[in-house]
Amino acid sequence: MQILNQLKIEEPERKESFLEILSDKYCRTILEAIMDMPKSAIEISRDKNIPLSTVYRRIQQLHDSKMIRTSGVITDEGKRLFLYKSKIKEVNTSFHDGKIDVDVVFIKN
């Protein structure tokens, strides 16, 4: 796994959205589950003991915020299966002089 780049989030709205998502325990758990290896929603639900409907809602949130990558495969039964993989390796935040800084390190997949 190689680090692709580091990004400092400057836009206040995007920064707030990013921090709000990371403050959610299910979003953090899902990101952790798919950090090293792509998994399906069913695998995430089973491995992390999160209700499947919650996994799907959080995956949509993470996808809309461009924190995860989605890919698809066709199973042996001919069904389409989506796999999810974190784009994020690390997030660093700091608070000083009334200002919060958010730096994101992305994974090269």
Side-chain angles (χ1 to χ4, degrees):
M1 197 171 3
Q2 293 179 313
I3 296 173
L4 179 60
N5 62 1
Q6 186 166 343
L7 171 70
K8 182 183 240 23
I9 299 175
E10 299 289 345
E11 306 84 22
E13 300 83 25
R14 185 154 184 234
K15 198 182 299 187
E16 287 294 323
S17 172
F18 202 89
L19 291 173
E20 184 177 322
I21 290 168
L22 291 178
S23 70
D24 182 272
K25 71 177 182 176
Y26 292 123
C27 286
R28 287 192 315 271
T29 301
I30 290 168
L31 283 171
E32 177 189 5
I34 59 176
M35 187 87 51
D36 297 321
M37 183 176 167
K39 292 184 180 179
S40 70
I42 294 169
E43 290 174 308
I44 296 166
S45 175
R46 183 187 60 232
D47 294 349
K48 297 299 181 177
N49 199 26
I50 302 172
L52 188 56
S53 60
T54 301
V55 170
Y56 278 116
R57 278 194 307 275
R58 295 318 195 277
I59 282 174
Q60 186 63 53
Q61 207 175 6
L62 292 164
H63 184 267
D64 291 348
S65 297
K66 299 179 178 33
M67 294 181 179
I68 63 173
R69 176 171 285 119
T70 304
S71 61
V73 296
I74 304 296
T75 66
D76 292 337
E77 296 82 33
K79 294 183 181 181
R80 191 175 355 178
L81 179 67
F82 290 102
L83 299 175
Y84 307 96
K85 176 86 169 71
S86 175
K87 290 182 178 181
I88 297 172
K89 170 69 175 155
E90 183 178 313
V91 176
N92 299 299
T93 61
S94 60
F95 184 72
H96 53 89
D97 297 329
K99 182 181 172 207
I100 194 160
D101 291 326
V102 179
D103 296 309
V104 182
V105 178
F106 291 95
I107 299 171
K108 180 177 181 179
N109 292 338

